[in-house]
Amino acid sequence: MSPFDTFAKTTSQLLGLPFDLARANYAAAVRLGLIKNSLLNSARFEQQLGAAERLTLGPWARRV
């Protein structure tokens, strides 16, 4: 792995942290019963958050 690849991956991870926190907060709210446990709602949330991450971070957004 080149130094540039390492830098790019580290930068991507740091910039993605707010989105990871949003995912963790959503999961915690479901566990606490504040949000209804629903596969459809969970998928919709992930889809919207993923789109926001790609829109916000552009080339730095993480890809699966």
Side-chain angles (χ1 to χ4, degrees), residues 29-62:
V30 169
R31 280 192 302 273
L32 290 172
L34 301 174
I35 298 175
K36 181 181 171 190
N37 189 8
S38 164
L39 287 175
L40 290 176
N41 287 343
S42 177
R44 195 172 296 124
F45 172 78
E46 180 57 39
Q47 202 171 39
Q48 291 172 346
L49 190 62
E53 184 175 3
R54 287 187 300 278
L55 180 66
T56 303
L57 301 180
W60 296 108
R62 295 170 291 182

Side-chain angles (χ1 to χ4, degrees), residues 3-34:
F4 178 75
D5 291 337
T6 304
F7 174 75
K9 183 172 177 148
T10 302
T11 301
S12 178
Q13 292 294 328
L14 287 173
L15 292 175
L17 189 59
F19 299 98
D20 291 340
L21 290 173
R23 288 177 180 97
N25 286 337
Y26 182 85
V30 169
R31 280 192 302 273
L32 290 172
L34 301 174

